[in-house]
Amino acid sequence: MNRVRSTTPAVPAIRSTGLSVVGHRAGRPVSITDDVSVQVGAGESIAIVGESGSGESITARALLDLLPQGLDAKGAVELNGELLVDLSRREAQRMRGGELAFVMQDPFTMLNPISRCGEQITAKLRAENGRRLLSQARKEQARARLAEVGIADPAVADRYPFELSGGMRQRVAIAAAIAENPRVLIADEPTTALDVTTQKEILELLSRLRDTHGLGLILITHDLRVAFSVCDRVYVMYAGEIIETGRPDDLLAAPRHPYSANLIQADPPIDRRLASLANIPGSVPAPGSWPPGCRFAPRCQWAAPECAAAHPPLEAADSGHTVRCARAGEIAPDLVAALRRVRRAVVTPARADDGSAPIISTRGARRIYGDKVAVEGADVDVDVFRGESVGLVGESGSGKTTLARMMVGLTRPTSGAIRVAGVDLAAARVSKADWNTVRSTVQMAFQDPYSTLNPQRSVGSALRDGLRLTDKAEVPRRIGELLERVGLAADYVNRMPAQLSGGERQRVAIARALARDPQVVVCDEVVSALDVSVQAHILNLLRELQTDLGLAYMFITHDLAVVRQVTDRVYVIKDGAIVEHAATEKVLDDPQHPYTRRLIGSIPHVQSMTRR
């Protein structure tokens, strides 16, 4: 996916100047974002990146005039040189969707679950006389738009969203977004929940639409590889403001702001396994609690007294590069040197086999749902040994999660054998004592901890559930130990899930999985929805827990860079069958199966973020 433009046309397709979003707390105004100026030309693509809470998604919604109730935008937004504030409400609504389109992370939030895909694609299309298209014309338009986004099967137009895979739903959402030939497309995390091959297809689709339609593309993402592989320019946001902008190659080679450098350092390399991933201490300050000087200063190792004295402006560093840092010129060599140290860090060897018996062993495990074979028994032999980390990778629908759920007893195998600590979960009857053995041996941590934590119950209550078999007098002490183990303070016991960040919720989910002192934790996409810095924190935590507790992991993920960092061996699964298995280093460096080679070849911009 080659970038095609690196300059901005004289009249941008869309431009914001001094765009700020303001909310209210206790009757007082609170800034959410501050003085955000971005622009993108026809046929150009930009990325807006940063940690969760930095203001990227709110900025996208402000550009679209789709802010939640209670938030107000200030500043100017121009579309093709025309100020949107000068338009009537009806004209602005017509412009949005016609000239300015939006694609969300989860297409289910854009697509009506009870309306057929074709109807949703053509819903706003009108004939020249302004009337709705006739039925045959709508069908032809739906098929044409589906073909444009790479769906050759016209029958998809007659299907409902729930009948499609995640990648297909995202394509349908994009088809609906571009149906009126917009000038600008804003995509908010459009590939986050997708496997690596589907991600590549969606990114190639967006790039192709950018070129063929002359679209101005704004990509909101926390995936640095995606941002640097498909965009002409990158805007880095922190605490509600732009802190650096530049061309991807320039930012990768020599970031000028410590925050940008820290984000790049935290991204796990695909080519080697590090002893520890770099991460940024602390978290993004909430709106209303921004420090008076540089907003990043409390987390910055290069902060000096002058950084806290005054808020730095966004200034030109060199051609096409701007930075908001009072010490940018002074510390530039130090930032480059720090990046080089991380990229040349010593490789950590994988765990050696100690010859012990496996804790979990599957032989010919098979699972059928109706006429669909989710896991094919003949080629599914998987072992997990004490203290090791095993990866399970494959595309969406390959059978990863089904196999994992069978390993923890949440899904019963149709046939074959699955043994956990000697207990056969495929047996006709499993006794209560055997189930207690299984629960004390293996636990599961899920992708979205928010959906597995009761929003009406506190953190302490969630952990107490996992300690039901513990002596009641010991429960408070054990809850404190679990929180400390995952790096959370004791006062988190009284907090509710809504009061936690994504990384904190994932730590609570891990703590709950540890409550029964298991030997194995099955991690199902536990970092896929996290930004790069929080991801580094969680991956480092998992390593520390493995060292301290002798844990084994079954790590399910579509991110092969994460696989490199946390696993000793990896199984590659396709269509419910294991197609390749070996040490992680061998699989990633010398893949033997065409499917594995395709997975690795789908990683965006593989070489750009490795050694330099």
Side-chain angles (χ1 to χ4, degrees):
M1 291 165 284
N2 296 319
R3 293 185 295 274
V4 296
R5 291 174 174 82
S6 58
T7 58
T8 305
V11 180
I14 191 170
R15 171 168 55 194
S16 72
T17 305
L19 185 63
S20 302
V21 176
V22 178
H24 294 83
R25 184 183 300 154
R28 301 178 60 183
V30 176
S31 292
I32 310 296
T33 66
D34 190 18
D35 193 24
V36 176
S37 297
V38 301
Q39 65 181 51
V40 61
E44 185 188 26
S45 58
I46 67 169
I48 304 178
V49 304
E51 293 173 284
S52 298
S54 291
E56 315 98 291
S57 293
I58 284 293
T59 296
R61 290 181 175 276
L63 290 171
L64 290 154
D65 192 23
L66 287 176
L67 288 172
Q69 189 173 6
L71 298 184
D72 300 306
K74 299 179 180 179
V77 177
E78 299 174 55
L79 191 61
N80 301 320
E82 187 174 8
L83 282 169
L84 296 187
V85 72
D86 293 338
L87 301 177
S88 68
R89 194 69 183 173
R90 186 172 183 178
E91 289 173 326
Q93 288 176 344
R94 190 181 303 118
M95 185 80 75
R96 187 174 60 244
E99 296 287 309
L100 185 59
F102 188 36
V103 176
M104 298 182 186
Q105 174 180 345
D106 181 2
F108 258 137
T109 62
M110 291 184 62
L111 300 175
N112 187 334
I114 60 172
S115 179
R116 298 182 191 274
C117 293
E119 296 170 355
Q120 301 188 58
I121 292 171
T122 61
K124 292 186 177 181
L125 295 183
R126 294 292 183 269
E128 291 184 4
N129 59 10
R131 294 184 178 180
R132 192 161 187 251
L133 295 175
L134 297 176
S135 175
Q136 185 59 34
R138 290 200 304 273
K139 289 180 180 179
E140 291 173 358
Q141 283 291 324
R143 291 169 182 171
R145 293 304 183 183
L146 287 172
E148 199 169 15
V149 297
I151 299 178
D153 183 4
V156 171
D158 296 321
R159 294 178 187 164
Y160 294 96
F162 65 82
E163 296 180 286
L164 306 179
S165 67
M168 290 277 277
R169 284 196 296 268
Q170 194 61 282
R171 287 174 184 271
V172 170
I174 293 171
I178 65 167
E180 296 183 78
N181 297 312
R183 301 292 300 275
V184 178
L185 178 64
I186 300 177
D188 190 359
E189 300 282 8
T191 62
T192 295
L194 304 178
D195 60 64
V196 66
T197 53
T198 307
Q199 178 189 74
K200 180 183 179 183
E201 292 169 358
I202 295 299
L203 293 176
E204 288 177 341
L205 167 62
L206 291 174
S207 295
R208 186 171 70 251
L209 292 173
R210 177 194 63 184
D211 297 341
T212 57
H213 286 243
L215 272 175
L217 176 63
I218 299 178
L219 184 64
I220 312 294
T221 182
H222 66 246
D223 190 326
L224 299 187
R225 293 176 185 275
V226 168
F228 290 134
S229 67
V230 301
C231 294
D232 302 307
R233 290 180 293 115
V234 176
Y235 291 76
V236 184
M237 282 194 77
Y238 181 78
E241 64 182 0
I242 303 293
I243 54 92
E244 187 167 9
T245 72
R247 291 181 292 267
D249 290 345
D250 294 339
L251 283 173
L252 278 172
R256 298 302 186 92
H257 198 286
Y259 178 66
S260 305
N262 286 163
L263 285 180
I264 294 169
Q265 289 177 46
D267 199 65
I270 184 62
D271 65 331
R272 66 203 186 283
R273 175 169 169 157
L274 304 181
S276 179
L277 291 169
N279 56 63
I280 311 173
S283 58
V284 180
S289 60
W290 295 334
C294 171
R295 294 174 186 175
F296 185 62
R299 304 174 69 189
C300 181
Q301 68 183 96
W302 284 280
E306 63 262 33
C307 298
H311 185 242
L314 186 66
E315 298 179 318
D318 48 40
S319 178
H321 202 141
T322 62
V323 63
R324 191 187 298 274
C325 177
R327 303 188 66 203
E330 180 186 352
I331 66 174
D334 294 334
L335 297 181
V336 173
L339 272 178
R340 287 175 177 165
R341 283 195 299 272
V342 169
R343 287 167 176 160
R344 295 171 182 169
V346 177
V347 175
T348 300
R351 171 194 175 276
D353 185 3
D354 62 6
S356 62
I359 303 171
I360 299 177
S361 179
T362 77
R363 293 294 179 266
R366 197 166 195 251
R367 177 66 199 189
I368 301 175
Y369 293 99
D371 59 354
K372 176 179 173 55
V373 179
V375 175
E376 179 57 71
D379 298 302
V380 184
D381 292 350
V382 175
D383 293 318
V384 181
F385 294 89
R386 187 180 305 279
E388 73 167 348
S389 184
V390 179
L392 185 62
V393 302
E395 295 170 293
S396 297
S398 61
K400 302 187 302 295
T401 297
T402 299
L403 180 57
R405 289 176 63 87
M406 287 195 292
M407 288 180 174
V408 298
L410 292 177
T411 297
R412 184 179 178 82
T414 305
S415 61
I418 296 182
R419 294 189 175 276
V420 177
V423 178
D424 187 358
L425 298 183
R429 182 180 180 278
V430 180
S431 68
K432 184 176 180 180
D434 283 344
W435 274 121
N436 283 335
T437 297
V438 171
R439 297 285 179 258
S440 297
T441 301
V442 58
Q443 288 287 318
M444 195 165 187
F446 296 91
Q447 175 179 352
D448 179 12
Y450 196 73
S451 64
T452 59
L453 295 174
N454 188 328
Q456 303 299 319
R457 301 179 66 187
S458 67
V459 168
S461 179
L463 296 180
R464 203 171 288 113
D465 281 345
L467 296 168
R468 287 191 300 269
L469 300 183
T470 303
D471 187 299
K472 289 185 179 181
E474 291 292 304
V475 168
R477 180 184 63 80
R478 288 282 286 126
I479 289 176
E481 287 179 351
L482 289 169
L483 290 173
E484 182 181 6
R485 181 75 71 182
V486 298
L488 296 176
D491 61 0
Y492 275 72
V493 69
N494 295 317
R495 298 194 188 186
M496 306 299 287
Q499 296 175 292
L500 308 179
S501 67
E504 288 171 338
R505 286 196 290 267
Q506 197 57 273
R507 287 173 185 263
V508 171
I510 293 170
R512 186 171 61 179
L514 297 177
R516 295 285 293 268
D517 294 322
Q519 298 177 56
V520 182
V521 177
V522 176
C523 300
D524 189 4
E525 299 282 11
V526 292
V527 295
S528 65
L530 303 178
D531 60 61
V532 66
S533 177
V534 177
Q535 173 182 268
H537 278 285
I538 296 299
L539 294 179
N540 287 339
L541 169 64
L542 291 172
R543 282 186 181 177
E544 292 166 7
L545 292 172
Q546 186 171 36
T547 300
D548 295 345
L549 304 177
L551 284 172
Y553 295 124
M554 167 58 76
F555 210 93
I556 301 165
T557 181
H558 61 250
D559 190 330
L560 298 183
V562 169
V563 168
R564 171 79 78 172
Q565 299 308 311
V566 299
T567 68
D568 306 304
R569 293 184 298 116
V570 62
Y571 293 87
V572 182
I573 187 170
K574 179 182 186 294
D575 298 330
I578 303 297
V579 297
E580 188 162 355
H581 163 236
T584 300
E585 181 179 275
K586 179 171 177 54
V587 171
L588 295 184
D589 293 344
D590 186 23
Q592 299 299 303
H593 196 280
Y595 178 70
T596 310
R597 290 197 289 270
R598 182 160 69 91
L599 289 178
I600 295 172
S602 298
I603 301 170
H605 218 49
V606 173
Q607 298 302 321
S608 297
M609 299 184 69
T610 57
R611 293 188 186 91
R612 289 201 173 213

